[in-house]
Amino acid sequence: MQRKLWEDEGTLDLHDASITIHREYFPASKADTYLQELRKIRWKQKKIVVFGKKHLEPRETAWYGDGGISYTYSGVTHTARPWIPVLAEMREDIMNTIHASFNSVLLNRYRDGQDGVAWHADDELELGDHPIIGSVSLGQTRCFQIRRKQTPKEVVSLNLHHGDLVVMSGNTQKFWEHQVPKTKQKVAERINLTFRKIHYG
Ligand SMILES: O=C(O)CCC(=O)C(=O)O
């Protein structure tokens, strides 16, 4: 297994992927406010179906977006709740910076090191061919890992900190996967938001 650790900011030099990191995109005071607000939303731990068996997801989630949007992964359909001011503000800010358009956001809450998300790509049909995903980290620093589907033993790790923004675009979801591994270290809560554009109809 070959591992690399990326701590800088900017665009990662990767084959067939476009991933850019904006460190402290939201400065600490703003990120603190967002974290406090988002702690208060209604979080749900959903059941997912893996190889025909039902499990509880190892994290809590929430899904917000424009009216009528729904999104299915791992056998679970998420129906969007209407935008709330904090999410609308974050969305507007990021859309203006990266010149992309988002109509929804998936939130993940990792309560501690026992929560994580396994290797996957955000390559559902509803996201289109070359999805642009704006991913914000709030709270505890956690390790975000990426690997090319063809070379799964070469893993690149990024520590994502409070206020960081990662933008994935181009062919990233087609050729690469990502995960947030569980950890035995004592870690506090982290909230992640992935702003997305769902194509439907
Ligand atoms: O928590 C993260 O940084 C990643 C979340 C993720 O992989 C997803 O929502 O698809």
Side-chain angles (χ1 to χ4, degrees):
M1 173 96 55
Q2 194 188 332
R3 289 174 187 275
K4 270 192 217 160
L5 179 65
W6 177 277
E7 284 289 6
D8 301 341
E9 122 153 330
T11 300
L12 276 76
D13 182 16
L14 299 171
H15 186 54
D16 283 334
S18 177
I19 302 181
T20 302
I21 307 175
H22 305 252
R23 296 287 182 196
E24 286 181 81
Y25 177 79
F26 292 114
S29 58
K30 191 109 206 163
D32 289 350
T33 309
Y34 288 154
L35 181 62
Q36 293 310 326
E37 283 287 308
L38 292 172
R39 278 199 175 121
K40 293 187 257 175
I41 67 171
R42 188 163 41 91
W43 291 96
K44 282 189 175 171
Q45 190 176 14
K46 295 214 167 194
K47 285 201 183 89
I48 48 165
V49 182
V50 183
F51 299 118
K53 274 189 148 186
K54 280 190 178 174
H55 298 268
L56 277 178
E57 277 187 318
R59 62 191 175 280
E60 295 180 334
T61 55
W63 174 245
Y64 288 81
D66 294 355
I69 286 189
S70 65
Y71 178 44
T72 303
Y73 72 87
S74 305
V76 184
T77 299
H78 298 258
T79 302
R81 297 178 207 161
W83 291 101
I84 52 174
V86 56
L87 294 174
E89 182 180 302
M90 294 173 88
R91 169 172 83 137
E92 194 64 26
D93 190 318
I94 298 168
M95 287 198 312
N96 287 336
T97 302
I98 66 168
H99 308 292
S101 132
F102 299 122
N103 57 13
S104 52
V105 60
L106 175 65
L107 292 96
N108 288 301
R109 176 169 176 250
Y110 306 92
R111 294 158 293 185
D112 56 30
Q114 287 314 295
D115 280 353
V117 63
W119 287 114
H120 68 284
D122 297 331
D123 56 1
E124 291 80 9
L125 284 179
E126 302 100 301
L127 292 171
D129 261 357
H130 299 103
I132 303 181
I133 295 181
S135 173
V136 177
S137 294
L138 299 172
Q140 176 75 54
T141 295
R142 289 288 296 261
C143 179
F144 178 79
Q145 296 184 319
I146 53 175
R147 67 180 183 188
R148 200 156 192 266
K149 292 177 188 173
Q150 276 187 348
T151 50
K153 290 199 167 140
E154 291 168 27
V155 175
V156 180
S157 300
L158 326 168
N159 282 326
L160 296 182
H161 310 287
H162 190 46
D164 287 354
L165 168 70
V166 175
V167 181
M168 296 186 272
S169 60
N171 279 325
T172 307
Q173 306 303 329
K174 199 171 281 174
F175 295 114
W176 290 72
E177 296 177 308
H178 53 273
Q179 73 162 353
V180 175
K182 294 180 181 182
T183 170
K184 291 206 164 67
Q185 283 166 16
K186 205 168 160 8
V187 292
E189 173 189 44
R190 168 176 184 262
I191 290 178
N192 169 259
L193 304 88
T194 46
F195 290 88
R196 300 153 185 252
K197 179 160 186 180
I198 302 290
H199 302 262
Y200 52 104

